[in-house]
Amino acid sequence: PLEDKLSDVEGLKEGAGTTPSTVTFSPAMIAAKNMEKKILDQLEESSATKHLRSTSFEMALFGTGVMKGPFAVDKEYPNWNDDGEYDPEFKTVPQVSHVSVWNFYPDPDANNMDEAQYVIERHKLSRNQLRNLKKRPYFRQNVIDSCINMGEIYVKKDWEDDLSDYATGETYIDRFEVIEYWGTIDTEMLIENDVEIPKELQKFDELQANIWICNKKLIRCVLNPFKPAKIPYMAVPYELNPYSFFGVGIAENMDDTQTLMNGFMRMAVDNAVLSGNLLIEVDETNLVPGQDLSVYPGKVFRRQGGAPGQAIFGTKFPNVSNENLQLFDKARVLADESTGFPSFAHGQTGVQGVGRTASGISMLMNAAAGSIKTVIKNVDDYLLKPLGEGMFRFNMQFNFNKDIKGDLEVVARGTESLMANEVRSQRLMGFLQVASNPALAPFAKFPYIIREIAKSMELDPEKVTNNMDEAALQAEILKGMQGEQQQPEQGQPQPQQAGQPPAGANPLDPTGAGGGNIGTGQAPVPGEQGFSGNDGQAGAAANQAASEQPQATEQLQ
């Protein structure tokens, strides 16, 4: 892509730059950045974040989340012409969607989507939604009209009552059941249903196809439009079960401990009911017959003559709720261990011990992220990477912008977000200090470090950092500004700082008067004026002063 832009530049040679003044162009990196930005924009337009949240919820609750796509759809962009008339624009964009795990029926013998030979999705469509299928390509309009004339024959499954708030019992639902099939099918069956087979595919016994059925009628039958052919579903497990297609979620992991927690809480409540009310024992032989035995404040019981003794006794039931609640807390700790998701990770207060300090809770959070790292890795491998590859292939096949095309590889980087931004920022700043050493600076990639520091601070690196060309220009500007500031300072005498001797003065004579330390309140050095002593002592002291003079000079400097 840079060939046309650099055609007028002379002296260019292919290869990496060897001097600081040269600029190295990376066409593959530029294409990858443009492709990444294009895919993010397309995901934003298709409301992918909303569908990803639904997938994440079912992944944690049921153990498996399912996404579908990308499919090419015509999106309507509102537009008004100069006369005020509504003139919308239609643009083909990729779209992804969430598929409920209850409507997803994969190959039962497969352990993951790579091994699945087919997938069946069950749709519950209204009359209007079924008619809208006629607007999509390769749907048989006459057959759809025939299905609508036959009427709604949707049969509610037994588990749908548990998932909805509908009243139990037979209720009429005005819906159609539509079955969507993706997988392999015999080539002869495709030919029987008037499907055109390309010449290069006629030699295969079976092919990938997409089939839709409603009211036992075939409403669509086409070859798999994806290049290369693949089943457009992504099933991501929360915790991988190597012997099953469906994973293990948080609810299944803490099933046993949740049962314990329910039992201990039920025991605590039952005991609180008994101990919170007074148990009354009445000896009716000592009371006048026919009295009302209800108890209320100010109640008077009439007693008849007889053996002395108390007729009414109050018994307090022992309260053991605290012991039951302690067992409940112990079961909660076991639930944290079984799920690998500690309570403080989702906002529990009152953390004691190590977690009372910032560094302590940071260490606990990092340890808790260890088990979550496997979950995020599953999301990377089973969802983000296949989704990114599907979006990449869509743009390579249908988008004619050559600036984003290239021999690129899709890499999912979800695990990079596990490290807390604060910890990541501290490590980046520490590495930046180490790399500031002139001996180590040539080995560090400072543009990458600066961009990652901006990301860890949740800033847009495209807005707050410069590329290589902008950085070189900024350095020249700063160099010019520093030169302008230094020019007026040249030729002016430097101000003398307090406590320093004048230039050219004896370092052992701070006064500059040649009088040693006279008048300074300090003892004179032997051999200088003002030192009193005999000649022998003076000679010895002079020799000693001569040996100490370099050390004193160094201290003054």
Side-chain angles (χ1 to χ4, degrees), residues 52 56 59 114 234-238 372-389 410-418:
L52 285 169
S56 302
M59 181 183 68
D114 294 334
M234 294 147 285
V236 49
Y238 179 86
I372 301 299
K373 186 180 296 185
T374 305
V375 178
I376 303 301
K377 188 61 178 175
N378 290 338
V379 176
D380 283 347
D381 294 339
Y382 292 92
L383 177 60
L384 297 183
K385 184 176 175 62
L387 179 60
E389 290 177 347
V410 177
V411 179
R413 299 182 299 179
T415 52
E416 293 183 5
S417 63
L418 290 178

Side-chain angles (χ1 to χ4, degrees), residues 249-264:
I250 295 178
E252 185 176 353
N253 276 330
M254 65 176 299
D255 184 19
D256 295 335
T257 53
Q258 184 67 58
T259 303
L260 289 175
M261 293 166 65
N262 296 342
F264 291 133

Side-chain angles (χ1 to χ4, degrees), residues 33 93 248 421 462:
K33 291 295 182 183
V93 296
V248 181
N421 286 337
E462 300 294 338

